[in-house]
Amino acid sequence: MITMKTILTTLVSALLICSNLSFAAGRSKPVVVDTAEIRQLAPTVLYTGISLSKNDIRIAAEIEGRLTAIVEVGTALKKGQAIATLDDVFLQQQREEELATVASEQASVALFKKQVRRYQALLKSNSVARDQLDQTQTSLQIAQSDMRAAQARLMQIEERIKRSKIIAPYDGVVTERTVQIGEWLKTGDTVVRFVDLNSNEIQVYIAAQMIDLIQINSQLEVLLNQQSSSAVVHSIVPASINSSRLFEVRLAPETAIAPGTLVRVRLPFAAARSVVSIHRDALVLRKGSTTVFKVNADNIAEQVVIEIGMGDGDYIEAIGDIAAGDAIVVRGGERLRAGTSVTSTAFKANK
């Protein structure tokens, strides 16, 4: 049996619900909007690339000798620091020998110079034969030649002593060691692999039909661990590497990437064309459909079903009832319903 109390309770509840709905409908929701624009976009595809160091070399011994010291793998060195050292005992002994030879030759030169000056003075008074002066001058020239040869040999030995220390040619890290202390090295034997970690580039091989779509100084998107960055094309090799008809492209990344790291590079595979584009953050995915909210002149959100076309970075082609100049919701759309009153704030991200 329905009592009067039950009827009154039901009426009060209905009035409260209507009051809440009316309040909610009259309250504007804050959103962030971006303007749909005409942009030049091209369809893209992701290619796998690899980060390489511009300076990645195998350093070899420049002289023969027994290895007496070498740094560990992973050691970071500054330019000019020693990577390895060869035994230079015999070279030091040869240096001492050549120093003595140079000193002896210098003494001979000094003696012949004195004799030449003395014979020149005696020749004026006819106290010495001309032939004797000529012979002494010839001996002086020979002694000077012998001295220069000895000095050259000394310089060579000192250079070999200098090269008994294998020096880092730039700042880098030892990534591989191919010899051990105590081994006898010959000239040209590889000692270490040395890599500059601060100067890297990205290598990617692309299909032949894409080569004309990329230009020097083009900026491309690079993806690593779901993080996006950019890289600039600095060289294109205009010849395929083999029968695969792939062409090599080198890019300079904006951020350092460890050598050997695999990355994904977004590349165009067709010519760019003018399309209506919106920010990716505007997309609202619900029950298998893709929609966006655009804000009309009365600040009311209108839900529009669209299809997604080509994309470039943060912007994609919007196919549907979207025109250039429309205010598109990029923040807060997931809370909206069609017909909701909104308060708009302009989008601040870089386009």
Side-chain angles (χ1 to χ4, degrees), residues 50 199 280 286 323 332:
I50 186 170
S199 177
R280 291 180 184 273
R286 290 176 180 168

Side-chain angles (χ1 to χ4, degrees), residues 215-220 230-235 250-254:
Q215 298 178 344
I216 299 297
N217 296 325
S218 296
Q219 193 165 2
L220 302 177
S230 63
V232 176
V233 177
H234 71 76
S235 63
R250 295 286 180 110
L251 305 93
E254 65 177 6

Side-chain angles (χ1 to χ4, degrees), residues 45-158:
V45 63
L46 289 174
Y47 269 61
T48 299
I50 186 170
S51 175
L52 303 174
S53 173
K54 291 183 179 179
N55 301 312
D56 183 346
I57 62 174
R58 294 188 179 276
I59 299 179
E62 297 184 58
I63 64 169
E64 290 188 346
R66 183 172 57 84
L67 187 67
T68 59
I70 186 170
V71 299
E72 296 292 336
V73 171
T75 302
L77 298 170
K78 295 292 186 181
K79 179 180 179 180
Q81 288 187 305
I83 296 174
T85 303
L86 300 179
D87 185 4
D88 65 351
V89 171
F90 294 123
L91 292 174
Q92 293 289 354
Q93 293 172 350
Q94 291 176 11
R95 180 176 180 274
E96 291 299 320
E97 182 180 354
E98 286 301 330
L99 281 171
T101 301
V102 169
S104 175
E105 297 297 341
Q106 288 174 336
S108 296
V109 169
L111 175 62
F112 285 123
K113 282 183 176 179
K114 289 180 181 179
Q115 289 180 346
V116 166
R117 288 195 296 269
R118 183 164 61 86
Y119 286 157
Q120 286 174 337
L122 292 174
L123 185 61
K124 294 178 180 179
S125 60
N126 294 321
S127 299
V128 68
R130 179 71 191 186
D131 290 346
Q132 194 169 359
L133 174 60
D134 291 343
Q135 183 178 1
T136 304
Q137 287 177 328
T138 300
S139 297
L140 172 61
Q141 293 174 349
I142 294 172
Q144 288 173 330
S145 296
D146 291 341
M147 182 185 69
R148 286 194 295 270
Q151 289 173 334
R153 290 193 300 271
L154 177 61
M155 291 173 60
Q156 291 175 8
I157 292 172
E158 289 178 339

Side-chain angles (χ1 to χ4, degrees), residues 255-273:
T255 56
I257 302 175
T261 303
L262 293 179
V263 298
R264 303 280 277 171
V265 181
R266 191 178 299 280
L267 297 159
F269 65 86
R273 55 186 176 87

Side-chain angles (χ1 to χ4, degrees), residues 70-77 83 173-177 180-181 192:
I70 186 170
V71 299
E72 296 292 336
V73 171
T75 302
L77 298 170
I83 296 174
V173 174
V174 175
T175 61
E176 182 182 351
R177 204 172 78 174
Q180 301 294 330
I181 292 176
V192 296

Side-chain angles (χ1 to χ4, degrees), residues 269-334:
F269 65 86
R273 55 186 176 87
S274 296
V275 298
V276 176
S277 64
I278 62 174
H279 199 279
R280 291 180 184 273
D281 289 350
L283 300 179
V284 179
L285 304 177
R286 290 176 180 168
K287 296 181 180 179
S289 66
T290 302
T291 65
V292 297
F293 285 95
K294 66 179 181 180
V295 180
N296 63 23
D298 297 323
N299 289 323
I300 301 299
E302 300 177 358
Q303 191 168 19
V304 180
V305 177
I306 66 167
E307 293 182 9
I308 299 173
M310 67 185 73
D312 184 6
D314 289 334
Y315 289 87
I316 58 172
E317 178 185 8
I319 304 170
D321 187 19
I322 300 291
D326 285 347
I328 307 298
V329 176
V330 295
R331 298 284 189 274
E334 66 280 355

